[in-house]
Coordinates of all heavy atoms in Angstrom, one line a residue:
M1 N -120.8 9.9 -77.5 CA -120.2 9.2 -76.3 C -118.8 9.6 -76.0 O -118.0 9.6 -76.9 CB -120.3 7.7 -76.6 CG -119.7 6.9 -75.4 SD -119.7 5.1 -75.8 CE -121.1 4.7 -74.7
P2 N -118.5 10.1 -74.8 CA -117.2 10.5 -74.5 C -116.2 9.4 -74.5 O -116.5 8.2 -74.3 CB -117.3 11.2 -73.1 CG -118.5 10.6 -72.5 CD -119.4 10.2 -73.7
A3 N -114.9 9.7 -74.8 CA -113.8 8.7 -74.8 C -113.6 8.3 -73.4 O -113.7 9.0 -72.4 CB -112.6 9.3 -75.4
P4 N -113.3 7.0 -73.2 CA -113.1 6.5 -71.8 C -111.8 7.1 -71.2 O -110.9 7.4 -72.0 CB -112.9 5.0 -72.0 CG -112.7 4.8 -73.4 CD -113.2 5.9 -74.2
L5 N -111.8 7.3 -69.9 CA -110.6 7.8 -69.2 C -109.6 6.7 -69.0 O -110.0 5.6 -68.7 CB -111.1 8.5 -67.9 CG -112.0 9.6 -67.9 CD1 -112.4 10.0 -66.5 CD2 -111.4 10.8 -68.7
S6 N -108.4 7.1 -69.0 CA -107.3 6.2 -68.5 C -107.5 6.1 -67.0 O -108.1 6.9 -66.4 CB -105.9 6.7 -68.9 OG -105.6 7.8 -68.1
L7 N -106.9 5.0 -66.5 CA -106.9 4.9 -65.0 C -106.3 6.0 -64.3 O -106.8 6.5 -63.3 CB -106.3 3.5 -64.6 CG -106.3 3.2 -63.2 CD1 -107.7 3.1 -62.6 CD2 -105.6 1.9 -62.9
D8 N -105.1 6.5 -64.8 CA -104.4 7.6 -64.2 C -105.3 8.9 -64.2 O -105.4 9.6 -63.2 CB -103.1 7.9 -64.9 CG -102.1 6.9 -64.7 OD1 -102.2 6.2 -63.6 OD2 -101.1 6.7 -65.5
E9 N -106.0 9.1 -65.3 CA -106.8 10.3 -65.4 C -108.0 10.2 -64.5 O -108.4 11.2 -63.8 CB -107.3 10.5 -66.9 CG -108.1 11.8 -67.1 CD -107.3 13.1 -66.8 OE1 -106.1 13.1 -66.9 OE2 -108.0 14.1 -66.5
A10 N -108.6 9.0 -64.4 CA -109.7 8.8 -63.5 C -109.3 9.0 -62.1 O -110.1 9.6 -61.3 CB -110.3 7.4 -63.7
M11 N -108.2 8.6 -61.7 CA -107.7 8.8 -60.4 C -107.4 10.2 -60.0 O -107.6 10.7 -58.9 CB -106.5 7.9 -60.1 CG -106.8 6.4 -60.1 SD -105.5 5.3 -59.7 CE -105.6 5.3 -57.9
R12 N -106.9 11.0 -61.0 CA -106.7 12.4 -60.8 C -108.0 13.2 -60.7 O -108.1 14.1 -59.9 CB -105.9 13.0 -61.9 CG -104.4 12.7 -61.8 CD -103.6 13.6 -62.8 NE -103.9 13.2 -64.2 CZ -103.3 12.2 -64.8 NH1 -102.4 11.5 -64.2 NH2 -103.6 12.0 -66.1
R13 N -109.0 12.8 -61.4 CA -110.3 13.5 -61.4 C -111.2 13.1 -60.2 O -112.2 13.9 -59.9 CB -111.1 13.2 -62.7 CG -110.4 13.9 -63.9 CD -111.3 13.7 -65.1 NE -110.7 14.2 -66.3 CZ -111.3 14.4 -67.4 NH1 -112.6 14.0 -67.5 NH2 -110.7 14.9 -68.5
S14 N -111.0 12.0 -59.6 CA -111.9 11.6 -58.5 C -111.1 11.7 -57.2 O -110.1 11.0 -57.0 CB -112.3 10.1 -58.8 OG -112.8 9.5 -57.6
A15 N -111.7 12.5 -56.3 CA -111.1 12.6 -55.0 C -111.0 11.3 -54.2 O -109.9 11.0 -53.6 CB -111.9 13.7 -54.1
P16 N -112.0 10.5 -54.2 CA -111.9 9.2 -53.5 C -110.8 8.3 -54.1 O -110.0 7.7 -53.4 CB -113.2 8.5 -53.6 CG -114.2 9.7 -53.8 CD -113.4 10.7 -54.6
L17 N -110.7 8.3 -55.4 CA -109.7 7.4 -56.1 C -108.3 8.0 -55.8 O -107.3 7.3 -55.6 CB -109.9 7.3 -57.6 CG -111.1 6.4 -57.9 CD1 -111.3 6.4 -59.4 CD2 -110.9 5.0 -57.4
A18 N -108.2 9.3 -55.8 CA -106.9 10.0 -55.6 C -106.4 9.7 -54.1 O -105.2 9.4 -53.9 CB -107.0 11.5 -55.8
H19 N -107.4 9.7 -53.2 CA -107.1 9.3 -51.8 C -106.6 7.9 -51.7 O -105.6 7.6 -51.0 CB -108.3 9.6 -50.9 CG -108.1 9.2 -49.5 ND1 -107.2 9.9 -48.7 CD2 -108.5 8.2 -48.8 CE1 -107.2 9.4 -47.5 NE2 -108.0 8.3 -47.5
L20 N -107.3 7.0 -52.4 CA -106.9 5.6 -52.4 C -105.5 5.4 -53.0 O -104.7 4.7 -52.4 CB -107.9 4.8 -53.3 CG -107.6 3.3 -53.4 CD1 -107.6 2.6 -52.1 CD2 -108.6 2.6 -54.3
A21 N -105.2 6.1 -54.1 CA -103.9 6.0 -54.7 C -102.8 6.5 -53.7 O -101.7 5.9 -53.6 CB -103.8 6.8 -56.0
S22 N -103.1 7.6 -53.0 CA -102.2 8.1 -52.0 C -102.0 7.1 -50.8 O -100.8 6.9 -50.4 CB -102.8 9.4 -51.4 OG -102.1 9.9 -50.3
M23 N -103.0 6.5 -50.4 CA -102.9 5.5 -49.3 C -102.1 4.3 -49.8 O -101.3 3.7 -49.0 CB -104.3 5.0 -48.8 CG -105.1 6.2 -48.2 SD -104.2 7.1 -46.9 CE -104.3 6.0 -45.6
L24 N -102.3 3.8 -51.0 CA -101.5 2.7 -51.6 C -100.0 3.1 -51.7 O -99.2 2.3 -51.3 CB -102.0 2.3 -53.0 CG -103.4 1.6 -53.0 CD1 -103.9 1.5 -54.4 CD2 -103.3 0.3 -52.3
A25 N -99.7 4.3 -52.1 CA -98.4 4.7 -52.2 C -97.7 4.8 -50.8 O -96.5 4.4 -50.6 CB -98.3 6.1 -52.9
A26 N -98.5 5.2 -49.8 CA -98.0 5.3 -48.4 C -97.6 3.9 -47.9 O -96.6 3.7 -47.2 CB -99.0 6.0 -47.5
S27 N -98.5 2.9 -48.2 CA -98.3 1.6 -47.8 C -97.0 1.0 -48.5 O -96.2 0.3 -47.8 CB -99.5 0.7 -48.1 OG -99.3 -0.6 -47.6
R28 N -96.9 1.2 -49.8 CA -95.7 0.7 -50.5 C -94.5 1.3 -50.0 O -93.4 0.7 -49.9 CB -95.9 1.0 -52.0 CG -96.8 0.0 -52.7 CD -96.6 0.1 -54.2 NE -97.0 1.4 -54.7 CZ -98.2 1.7 -55.1 NH1 -99.2 0.8 -55.2 NH2 -98.5 2.9 -55.5
A29 N -94.5 2.6 -49.7 CA -93.3 3.3 -49.1 C -92.9 2.6 -47.8 O -91.7 2.4 -47.6 CB -93.6 4.8 -48.9
R30 N -93.8 2.3 -47.0 CA -93.5 1.6 -45.7 C -92.9 0.3 -45.9 O -91.9 -0.1 -45.3 CB -94.7 1.6 -44.8 CG -95.1 2.9 -44.2 CD -96.5 2.9 -43.6 NE -96.8 4.1 -42.8 CZ -97.0 5.3 -43.3 NH1 -96.9 5.5 -44.6 NH2 -97.2 6.3 -42.5
L31 N -93.5 -0.5 -46.9 CA -92.9 -1.8 -47.2 C -91.5 -1.7 -47.7 O -90.6 -2.5 -47.4 CB -93.8 -2.6 -48.1 CG -93.4 -4.0 -48.4 CD1 -93.5 -4.9 -47.2 CD2 -94.3 -4.6 -49.5
D32 N -91.2 -0.7 -48.5 CA -89.9 -0.5 -49.1 C -88.9 -0.2 -48.0 O -87.7 -0.5 -48.2 CB -89.9 0.7 -50.1 CG -90.6 0.3 -51.4 OD1 -90.9 -0.9 -51.7 OD2 -91.0 1.3 -52.2
V33 N -89.3 0.4 -46.9 CA -88.4 0.7 -45.8 C -88.1 -0.6 -45.0 O -87.0 -0.9 -44.6 CB -89.0 1.8 -44.9 CG1 -88.2 1.9 -43.6 CG2 -89.0 3.1 -45.6
V34 N -89.2 -1.4 -44.7 CA -89.0 -2.5 -43.7 C -88.5 -3.8 -44.4 O -87.8 -4.6 -43.8 CB -90.2 -2.8 -42.9 CG1 -90.6 -1.5 -42.1 CG2 -91.4 -3.3 -43.7
R35 N -88.9 -4.0 -45.6 CA -88.6 -5.3 -46.3 C -87.0 -5.6 -46.3 O -86.6 -6.7 -46.0 CB -89.2 -5.4 -47.7 CG -88.9 -6.8 -48.3 CD -89.7 -7.0 -49.6 NE -90.9 -7.7 -49.3 CZ -91.9 -7.6 -50.1 NH1 -91.9 -7.0 -51.2 NH2 -93.0 -8.3 -49.8
P36 N -86.2 -4.6 -46.6 CA -84.7 -4.9 -46.7 C -84.2 -5.3 -45.3 O -83.1 -5.8 -45.2 CB -84.1 -3.6 -47.2 CG -85.2 -2.9 -47.9 CD -86.5 -3.3 -47.2
L37 N -84.8 -4.9 -44.2 CA -84.3 -5.2 -42.9 C -84.6 -6.7 -42.5 O -83.9 -7.2 -41.5 CB -85.0 -4.3 -41.9 CG -84.8 -2.8 -42.1 CD1 -85.6 -2.0 -41.1 CD2 -83.4 -2.4 -42.0
L38 N -85.5 -7.3 -43.1 CA -85.9 -8.7 -42.8 C -85.0 -9.7 -43.5 O -84.6 -9.5 -44.6 CB -87.3 -8.9 -43.1 CG -88.4 -8.0 -42.5 CD1 -89.7 -8.2 -43.1 CD2 -88.4 -8.3 -41.0
P39 N -84.8 -10.9 -42.8 CA -84.1 -12.0 -43.5 C -84.9 -12.4 -44.8 O -86.2 -12.3 -44.8 CB -84.1 -13.1 -42.5 CG -84.4 -12.5 -41.2 CD -85.2 -11.2 -41.5
A40 N -84.3 -12.8 -45.8 CA -84.9 -13.0 -47.1 C -86.2 -13.9 -47.0 O -87.2 -13.6 -47.6 CB -83.9 -13.6 -48.1
P41 N -86.1 -15.1 -46.3 CA -87.3 -15.9 -46.2 C -88.5 -15.2 -45.6 O -89.6 -15.4 -46.0 CB -86.9 -17.1 -45.4 CG -85.4 -17.1 -45.5 CD -85.0 -15.7 -45.6
L42 N -88.2 -14.4 -44.6 CA -89.3 -13.6 -43.9 C -89.8 -12.5 -44.8 O -91.0 -12.3 -44.9 CB -88.8 -13.1 -42.6 CG -89.8 -12.5 -41.6 CD1 -90.8 -13.5 -41.3 CD2 -89.1 -12.0 -40.4
A43 N -88.9 -11.8 -45.5 CA -89.3 -10.7 -46.4 C -90.2 -11.2 -47.5 O -91.1 -10.5 -47.9 CB -88.0 -10.1 -47.0
R44 N -89.9 -12.4 -48.0 CA -90.8 -13.0 -49.1 C -92.2 -13.3 -48.6 O -93.1 -13.5 -49.3 CB -90.1 -14.2 -49.7 CG -89.0 -13.9 -50.6 CD -88.5 -15.1 -51.3 NE -88.0 -16.2 -50.5 CZ -86.8 -16.4 -50.1 NH1 -85.8 -15.5 -50.5 NH2 -86.4 -17.4 -49.3
A45 N -92.3 -13.5 -47.2 CA -93.6 -13.9 -46.7 C -94.5 -12.8 -46.1 O -95.5 -13.0 -45.5 CB -93.3 -14.9 -45.5
V46 N -94.1 -11.5 -46.5 CA -94.9 -10.4 -46.0 C -95.3 -9.6 -47.2 O -94.7 -9.6 -48.3 CB -94.1 -9.5 -45.0 CG1 -93.7 -10.3 -43.8 CG2 -92.9 -8.9 -45.7
S47 N -96.4 -8.8 -47.0 CA -96.9 -7.9 -48.0 C -97.5 -6.7 -47.3 O -97.8 -6.7 -46.1 CB -97.9 -8.6 -48.9 OG -99.0 -9.1 -48.2
A48 N -97.6 -5.6 -48.1 CA -98.1 -4.4 -47.5 C -99.6 -4.4 -47.4 O -100.3 -4.8 -48.3 CB -97.7 -3.2 -48.4
G49 N -100.1 -4.1 -46.2 CA -101.5 -3.9 -46.0 C -101.9 -2.4 -46.0 O -101.1 -1.6 -46.4
P50 N -103.1 -2.1 -45.6 CA -103.5 -0.7 -45.6 C -102.9 0.2 -44.5 O -102.5 -0.3 -43.5 CB -105.0 -0.8 -45.4 CG -105.2 -2.1 -44.6 CD -104.1 -3.0 -45.1
V51 N -102.9 1.5 -44.8 CA -102.6 2.5 -43.9 C -103.9 3.0 -43.4 O -104.7 3.4 -44.2 CB -101.7 3.6 -44.5 CG1 -101.5 4.7 -43.5 CG2 -100.4 3.0 -45.0
D52 N -104.1 3.0 -42.1 CA -105.4 3.6 -41.6 C -105.4 5.1 -41.8 O -104.5 5.8 -41.4 CB -105.4 3.3 -40.1 CG -106.8 3.7 -39.5 OD1 -106.9 4.9 -39.1 OD2 -107.7 2.9 -39.3
A53 N -106.5 5.5 -42.5 CA -106.6 6.9 -42.8 C -106.6 7.9 -41.6 O -106.2 9.0 -41.7 CB -107.8 7.1 -43.7
E54 N -107.2 7.4 -40.5 CA -107.3 8.3 -39.4 C -106.1 8.3 -38.5 O -105.6 9.3 -38.1 CB -108.6 7.9 -38.6 CG -109.9 8.2 -39.3 CD -111.1 7.8 -38.5 OE1 -111.0 7.7 -37.2 OE2 -112.1 7.6 -39.1
S55 N -105.6 7.1 -38.1 CA -104.5 7.0 -37.2 C -103.1 7.0 -37.9 O -102.1 7.4 -37.3 CB -104.6 5.7 -36.4 OG -104.4 4.6 -37.2
G56 N -103.1 6.6 -39.2 CA -101.8 6.5 -39.9 C -101.1 5.2 -39.6 O -100.0 5.0 -40.1
N57 N -101.7 4.4 -38.7 CA -101.0 3.1 -38.4 C -101.1 2.2 -39.7 O -102.0 2.3 -40.5 CB -101.8 2.4 -37.3 CG -101.7 3.1 -36.0 OD1 -100.8 4.0 -35.8 ND2 -102.5 2.8 -35.0
W58 N -100.1 1.4 -39.8 CA -99.9 0.5 -41.0 C -100.1 -0.9 -40.7 O -99.6 -1.4 -39.6 CB -98.6 0.8 -41.6 CG -98.2 0.0 -42.8 CD1 -98.9 -0.2 -43.9 CD2 -97.0 -0.7 -43.0 NE1 -98.3 -1.0 -44.8 CE2 -97.1 -1.3 -44.3 CE3 -95.9 -1.0 -42.2 CZ2 -96.1 -2.1 -44.8 CZ3 -94.9 -1.7 -42.7 CH2 -95.0 -2.3 -44.0
V59 N -100.7 -1.7 -41.6 CA -100.9 -3.1 -41.4 C -99.8 -3.8 -42.3 O -99.7 -3.6 -43.5 CB -102.3 -3.6 -41.8 CG1 -102.4 -5.1 -41.7 CG2 -103.3 -3.0 -40.8
L60 N -99.1 -4.7 -41.6 CA -98.1 -5.5 -42.4 C -98.7 -6.9 -42.4 O -99.0 -7.5 -41.3 CB -96.7 -5.5 -41.6 CG -95.6 -6.3 -42.3 CD1 -95.3 -5.8 -43.7 CD2 -94.4 -6.2 -41.4
L61 N -98.9 -7.5 -43.6 CA -99.6 -8.8 -43.7 C -98.6 -9.9 -43.7 O -97.6 -9.9 -44.5 CB -100.4 -8.8 -45.0 CG -101.6 -7.7 -45.0 CD1 -102.2 -7.7 -46.4 CD2 -102.6 -8.1 -44.0
A62 N -98.8 -10.9 -42.9 CA -98.0 -12.1 -42.8 C -98.7 -13.2 -43.6 O -99.9 -13.4 -43.5 CB -97.7 -12.5 -41.4
S63 N -97.9 -14.1 -44.2 CA -98.5 -15.2 -45.0 C -99.0 -16.3 -44.1 O -99.8 -17.1 -44.6 CB -97.5 -15.7 -46.0 OG -96.4 -16.3 -45.3
S64 N -98.6 -16.4 -42.8 CA -99.1 -17.5 -41.9 C -98.9 -17.0 -40.5 O -98.2 -16.0 -40.2 CB -98.2 -18.7 -42.2 OG -96.9 -18.5 -41.8
P65 N -99.5 -17.7 -39.6 CA -99.4 -17.4 -38.1 C -97.9 -17.4 -37.7 O -97.5 -16.6 -36.9 CB -100.3 -18.4 -37.4 CG -101.3 -18.7 -38.4 CD -100.6 -18.7 -39.7
P66 N -97.1 -18.4 -38.1 CA -95.7 -18.4 -37.6 C -94.9 -17.2 -38.2 O -94.1 -16.7 -37.4 CB -95.1 -19.7 -38.2 CG -96.3 -20.6 -38.4 CD -97.4 -19.7 -38.8
V67 N -95.2 -16.8 -39.4 CA -94.6 -15.6 -39.9 C -95.0 -14.4 -39.1 O -94.1 -13.5 -38.7 CB -94.9 -15.4 -41.4 CG1 -94.4 -14.0 -41.9 CG2 -94.2 -16.5 -42.2
A68 N -96.2 -14.3 -38.7 CA -96.7 -13.2 -37.9 C -96.0 -13.1 -36.6 O -95.6 -12.1 -36.1 CB -98.2 -13.3 -37.7
A69 N -95.8 -14.3 -36.0 CA -95.2 -14.4 -34.7 C -93.7 -13.9 -34.8 O -93.2 -13.1 -33.9 CB -95.2 -15.8 -34.1
K70 N -93.1 -14.3 -35.8 CA -91.7 -13.9 -36.0 C -91.6 -12.4 -36.3 O -90.7 -11.7 -35.8 CB -91.0 -14.6 -37.2 CG -89.6 -14.4 -37.4 CD -88.8 -14.9 -36.2 CE -87.3 -14.8 -36.4 NZ -86.6 -15.1 -35.2
L71 N -92.6 -11.8 -37.1 CA -92.6 -10.4 -37.3 C -92.8 -9.6 -36.0 O -92.2 -8.5 -35.9 CB -93.7 -10.1 -38.3 CG -93.5 -10.4 -39.8 CD1 -94.7 -10.1 -40.6 CD2 -92.3 -9.5 -40.3
R72 N -93.5 -10.1 -35.1 CA -93.7 -9.4 -33.8 C -92.4 -9.3 -33.1 O -92.2 -8.3 -32.4 CB -94.8 -10.1 -33.0 CG -96.2 -9.9 -33.6 CD -97.3 -10.5 -32.7 NE -98.6 -10.2 -33.4 CZ -99.1 -11.1 -34.2 NH1 -98.6 -12.3 -34.4 NH2 -100.3 -10.8 -34.8
H73 N -91.5 -10.2 -33.3 CA -90.1 -10.0 -32.7 C -89.4 -8.9 -33.4 O -88.6 -8.3 -32.7 CB -89.3 -11.3 -32.8 CG -89.9 -12.5 -32.0 ND1 -89.6 -12.5 -30.6 CD2 -90.6 -13.5 -32.3 CE1 -90.3 -13.6 -30.1 NE2 -90.9 -14.2 -31.1
W74 N -89.6 -8.7 -34.6 CA -88.9 -7.7 -35.4 C -89.6 -6.3 -35.3 O -89.0 -5.3 -35.7 CB -88.9 -8.1 -36.9 CG -87.8 -9.1 -37.2 CD1 -87.9 -10.5 -37.0 CD2 -86.5 -8.9 -37.7 NE1 -86.8 -11.1 -37.4 CE2 -85.9 -10.2 -37.8 CE3 -85.8 -7.8 -38.1 CZ2 -84.6 -10.3 -38.3 CZ3 -84.5 -7.9 -38.5 CH2 -83.9 -9.2 -38.6
Q75 N -90.8 -6.3 -34.8 CA -91.6 -5.1 -34.8 C -91.0 -3.8 -34.3 O -91.0 -2.8 -34.9 CB -93.0 -5.3 -34.1 CG -94.0 -4.2 -34.3 CD -95.4 -4.7 -33.8 OE1 -95.6 -5.8 -33.4 NE2 -96.3 -3.7 -33.8
P76 N -90.3 -3.9 -33.1 CA -89.6 -2.7 -32.6 C -88.6 -2.1 -33.6 O -88.5 -0.9 -33.8 CB -89.0 -3.1 -31.3 CG -89.8 -4.3 -30.9 CD -90.2 -5.0 -32.1
R77 N -87.8 -3.0 -34.2 CA -86.8 -2.6 -35.2 C -87.4 -2.0 -36.4 O -87.0 -1.0 -36.9 CB -85.9 -3.7 -35.5 CG -84.8 -3.3 -36.5 CD -83.9 -4.5 -36.8 NE -83.3 -5.0 -35.6 CZ -82.6 -6.2 -35.5 NH1 -82.4 -6.9 -36.6 NH2 -82.1 -6.6 -34.4
L78 N -88.5 -2.6 -36.9 CA -89.2 -2.1 -38.1 C -89.9 -0.7 -37.8 O -89.8 0.2 -38.7 CB -90.3 -3.1 -38.5 CG -89.7 -4.5 -38.9 CD1 -90.9 -5.4 -39.3 CD2 -88.6 -4.5 -39.9
E79 N -90.5 -0.6 -36.6 CA -91.1 0.7 -36.3 C -90.0 1.8 -36.2 O -90.3 2.9 -36.6 CB -91.9 0.6 -35.0 CG -93.2 -0.2 -35.3 CD -94.0 -0.4 -34.0 OE1 -93.5 -0.2 -32.9 OE2 -95.2 -0.9 -34.2
A80 N -88.9 1.4 -35.6 CA -87.8 2.4 -35.5 C -87.3 2.9 -36.9 O -87.0 4.0 -37.1 CB -86.6 1.8 -34.7
A81 N -87.3 1.9 -37.8 CA -86.9 2.3 -39.2 C -87.9 3.2 -39.9 O -87.5 4.1 -40.6 CB -86.7 1.0 -40.0
L82 N -89.2 2.9 -39.6 CA -90.2 3.8 -40.2 C -90.1 5.2 -39.6 O -90.2 6.2 -40.3 CB -91.6 3.3 -39.9 CG -92.0 2.0 -40.7 CD1 -93.3 1.5 -40.2 CD2 -91.9 2.2 -42.2
K83 N -89.8 5.3 -38.3 CA -89.7 6.6 -37.7 C -88.5 7.3 -38.2 O -88.5 8.5 -38.5 CB -89.5 6.4 -36.2 CG -89.5 7.7 -35.4 CD -89.4 7.4 -33.9 CE -89.4 8.7 -33.1 NZ -89.3 8.5 -31.7
E84 N -87.4 6.6 -38.4 CA -86.1 7.2 -38.9 C -86.4 7.7 -40.4 O -85.8 8.7 -40.8 CB -85.0 6.2 -38.9 CG -83.7 6.7 -39.3 CD -82.6 5.7 -39.2 OE1 -82.5 5.1 -38.1 OE2 -81.9 5.5 -40.2
A85 N -87.2 7.0 -41.1 CA -87.5 7.4 -42.5 C -88.6 8.5 -42.5 O -88.9 9.0 -43.6 CB -88.0 6.2 -43.3
G86 N -89.1 8.9 -41.4 CA -90.0 10.0 -41.3 C -91.5 9.6 -41.7 O -92.3 10.4 -42.0
L87 N -91.7 8.3 -41.6 CA -93.1 7.8 -41.9 C -93.8 7.6 -40.6 O -93.9 6.6 -40.0 CB -93.0 6.5 -42.7 CG -92.3 6.6 -44.0 CD1 -92.0 5.2 -44.6 CD2 -93.1 7.4 -45.0
L88 N -94.4 8.7 -40.2 CA -95.1 8.8 -38.9 C -96.6 8.8 -39.0 O -97.1 9.4 -40.0 CB -94.6 10.0 -38.1 CG -93.1 10.0 -37.8 CD1 -92.7 11.4 -37.2 CD2 -92.7 8.9 -36.9
P89 N -97.3 8.3 -38.1 CA -96.8 7.6 -36.9 C -96.3 6.2 -37.4 O -96.8 5.6 -38.3 CB -98.1 7.4 -36.0 CG -99.2 7.5 -36.9 CD -98.8 8.4 -38.1
A90 N -95.2 5.8 -36.8 CA -94.5 4.6 -37.2 C -95.0 3.4 -36.3 O -94.3 2.7 -35.7 CB -93.1 4.8 -37.0
V91 N -96.3 3.1 -36.4 CA -96.9 2.0 -35.7 C -97.4 1.0 -36.7 O -98.1 1.2 -37.6 CB -98.2 2.5 -34.8 CG1 -98.8 1.3 -34.1 CG2 -97.7 3.5 -33.8
I92 N -96.9 -0.3 -36.4 CA -97.2 -1.4 -37.3 C -98.2 -2.3 -36.6 O -98.0 -2.7 -35.4 CB -96.0 -2.2 -37.7 CG1 -95.0 -1.3 -38.4 CG2 -96.3 -3.4 -38.5 CD1 -93.6 -1.9 -38.7
R93 N -99.2 -2.7 -37.3 CA -100.1 -3.8 -36.8 C -99.9 -5.0 -37.7 O -99.9 -4.8 -38.9 CB -101.6 -3.4 -36.9 CG -101.9 -2.2 -35.9 CD -103.3 -1.7 -36.0 NE -104.3 -2.8 -35.8 CZ -105.4 -2.9 -36.6 NH1 -105.7 -2.0 -37.5 NH2 -106.2 -4.0 -36.4
I94 N -99.7 -6.1 -37.1 CA -99.3 -7.3 -37.9 C -100.6 -8.2 -37.9 O -101.2 -8.5 -36.9 CB -98.1 -8.1 -37.3 CG1 -96.9 -7.2 -37.3 CG2 -97.9 -9.4 -38.0 CD1 -95.7 -7.6 -36.5
K95 N -100.9 -8.6 -39.1 CA -102.1 -9.5 -39.3 C -101.7 -10.6 -40.3 O -100.9 -10.4 -41.1 CB -103.3 -8.7 -39.9 CG -103.9 -7.7 -39.0 CD -105.1 -7.1 -39.6 CE -105.8 -6.1 -38.6 NZ -107.0 -5.6 -39.1
V96 N -102.4 -11.7 -40.1 CA -102.2 -12.9 -41.0 C -103.1 -12.6 -42.2 O -104.3 -12.3 -42.1 CB -102.6 -14.2 -40.3 CG1 -102.5 -15.4 -41.3 CG2 -101.6 -14.4 -39.1
Q97 N -102.5 -12.8 -43.4 CA -103.3 -12.5 -44.6 C -104.3 -13.7 -44.9 O -103.9 -14.8 -44.8 CB -102.3 -12.4 -45.8 CG -102.9 -12.0 -47.1 CD -101.8 -11.7 -48.1 OE1 -100.7 -12.0 -47.9 NE2 -102.2 -11.1 -49.2
A98 N -105.5 -13.3 -45.1 CA -106.5 -14.3 -45.4 C -106.3 -14.9 -46.7 O -106.0 -14.3 -47.7 CB -107.9 -13.7 -45.2
G99 N -106.6 -16.2 -46.8 CA -106.7 -16.9 -48.1 C -105.4 -17.3 -48.7 O -105.1 -17.7 -49.7

């Protein structure tokens, strides 16, 4: 019986897992750019969602509908920051996190 692979090794050997890891890293990079721009209470109420593999658009998850509404006011500034950081396309879709 072969020795089990570490998670890192499995991700390197599997194209789908490597792609998933790449998409997760892209999402975290976007969150790292926008989170410092937000007021602390708002920043604590958001999390990184997926980056669409085809369009490159990113989902920013809000903890509640009021947080999502407030984020929509910040959206132009956040998209400008993503563009300035070279994370293109710099389009954010805001969704309320389920559960």
Side-chain angles (χ1 to χ4, degrees):
M1 175 179 258
L5 297 175
S6 70
L7 182 57
D8 288 337
E9 184 64 25
M11 291 184 89
R12 280 192 295 275
R13 290 186 182 190
S14 167
L17 289 178
H19 178 71
L20 177 61
S22 170
M23 298 307 286
L24 288 171
S27 183
R28 279 192 300 263
R30 284 164 170 75
L31 185 62
D32 289 345
V33 168
V34 302
R35 185 173 263 160
L37 302 175
L38 299 171
L42 190 57
R44 287 190 297 269
V46 300
S47 58
V51 175
D52 183 278
E54 291 182 24
S55 68
N57 296 343
W58 176 52
V59 175
L60 184 58
L61 298 170
S63 63
S64 67
V67 169
K70 188 65 176 173
L71 283 173
R72 287 185 183 91
H73 291 282
W74 283 82
Q75 190 169 356
R77 184 179 298 171
L78 301 178
E79 288 177 346
L82 291 176
K83 184 176 180 180
E84 186 176 308
L87 297 170
L88 299 173
V91 177
I92 299 172
R93 294 179 52 221
I94 298 167
K95 293 187 175 185
V96 176
Q97 190 169 10

